[in-house]
Amino acid sequence: MTIRRDPRPVRLGVQIAPQHASYATIRTAVAGVEALGVDVVFNWDHFFPLSGEPDGLHFESWSLLAAWAEQTTTIQLGALVNCNSYRNADLQADMARTIDHISGGRFLFGTGAGWFERDYDEYGYEFGTPGTRLDALESDLQRIEARWARLNPPPTRDIPILIGGGGEKKTLRIVAKHADIWHSFSTPDVMKHKLGVLDGWCAKVGRDMSDIEISTELRSRTTDEADALYDLGTRLFTLGLSGPHYDLSPVVDWLAWRDSKNAS
């Protein structure tokens, strides 16, 4: 495939992992990244910490997003990513629409098939297989989009859908059909390959791949790697931070990198 230069500006997202910290600390971190000029603030959709003390402090994703929507004024917000398995599809659509209104049109619907088995076991959800969870994601996205068209009041705009994951047989096909943003943890070499696969799926489903914004994680990456991902067309870069103390100094450095790209 030929890599097309994406005219979108580079954006920086920060994922505030809702673990090992008080709500007050999380709230302060969100205020801090918004004040710095970050473009998007994310959390994640789990019920227990993913690192550190497995039974440590932890808060639920959608409740936090509604609070962040009221707390903030300029930054976009969403989950990186929502677990489709945990809530009825039509309920997800209604929750997303409501947060979209609370935020004044700043909500991103980040979603995925789910993977953290402890969440399923302790909260009573059927874990299934990666294949069954992806099939459910695909069918539920159709229900979500249909429900958005029927809600009163409707969403303030077409809510952007971000889909996370890199599976080539199912996930990237779902991305081609439904996503406005595709997120992965790909290295430059892997990203180049995955973009070729995604381009192929877009051709099969009749979608222009340039409609999809490419997103990836910055944690542990060098600026050289970020430059290479930028050259491949990545325009949304995310940086993960965890409690108990959210160190915002790396955010300052990556904002300077973002601004240098957008000035060139």
Side-chain angles (χ1 to χ4, degrees):
M1 64 172 288
T2 300
I3 302 297
R4 290 165 291 189
R5 182 173 176 82
D6 192 330
R8 296 178 182 90
V10 174
R11 300 194 294 158
L12 181 68
V14 173
Q15 184 184 51
I16 304 292
Q19 63 177 14
H20 306 308
S22 68
Y23 173 69
T25 300
I26 293 170
R27 189 183 194 283
T28 298
V30 171
V33 297
E34 183 176 42
L36 287 171
V38 167
D39 299 288
V40 190
V41 61
F42 294 106
N43 61 17
W44 64 35
D45 188 19
H46 295 289
F47 305 129
F48 301 95
L50 297 186
S51 61
E53 169 53 49
D55 293 313
L57 299 174
H58 199 279
F59 291 96
E60 191 275 329
S61 172
W62 284 86
S63 304
L64 285 177
L65 291 173
W68 292 1
E70 191 66 51
Q71 169 191 342
T72 58
T73 58
T74 59
I75 199 168
Q76 291 188 314
L77 57 133
L80 195 64
V81 288
N82 166 68
C83 179
N84 180 66
S85 307
Y86 300 161
R87 300 161 195 87
N88 169 279
D90 294 87
L91 174 61
Q92 292 179 58
D94 205 337
M95 294 166 71
R97 179 279 312 257
T98 299
I99 297 177
D100 173 60
H101 275 264
I102 295 170
S103 67
R106 293 180 287 116
F107 180 74
L108 303 179
F109 183 61
T111 195
W115 62 274
F116 189 41
E117 190 168 3
R118 184 185 179 189
D119 284 347
Y120 288 81
D121 291 345
E122 296 219 23
Y123 277 60
Y125 299 112
E126 181 180 351
F127 189 54
T129 67
T132 61
R133 294 195 299 275
L134 282 164
D135 289 343
L137 175 64
E138 183 169 21
S139 62
D140 287 351
L141 278 167
Q142 296 174 53
R143 287 176 56 190
I144 288 165
E145 292 167 343
R147 178 60 60 183
W148 280 338
R150 295 197 297 271
L151 287 170
N152 184 19
T156 65
R157 87 285 197 223
D158 291 337
I159 297 175
I161 296 173
L162 178 155
I163 296 176
E168 297 179 12
K169 293 182 178 179
K170 288 189 175 183
T171 303
L172 292 181
R173 173 171 53 82
I174 298 169
V175 169
K177 292 173 67 176
H178 295 280
D180 300 286
I181 306 168
W182 169 54
H183 181 81
S184 75
F185 294 83
S186 301
T187 63
D189 286 344
V190 171
M191 176 67 79
K192 185 174 182 179
H193 169 72
K194 298 286 186 183
L195 289 173
V197 175
L198 179 58
D199 192 46
W201 279 120
C202 285
K204 288 179 181 179
V205 304
R207 181 89 184 275
D208 188 336
M209 186 171 156
S210 66
D211 291 342
I212 302 172
E213 184 176 13
I214 307 303
S215 169
T216 196
E217 167 69 31
L218 279 173
R219 190 178 346 194
S220 302
R221 298 217 189 281
T222 65
T223 54
D224 286 345
E225 289 176 296
D227 288 342
L229 289 163
Y230 172 86
D231 290 340
L232 288 169
T234 305
R235 290 299 179 268
L236 176 58
F237 293 84
T238 67
L239 181 66
L241 302 178
S242 177
H245 306 293
Y246 299 98
D247 178 10
L248 301 188
S249 56
V251 178
V252 175
D253 295 337
W254 283 112
L255 282 170
W257 178 85
R258 177 201 67 181
D259 293 345
S260 71
K261 288 297 183 187
N262 290 337
S264 61

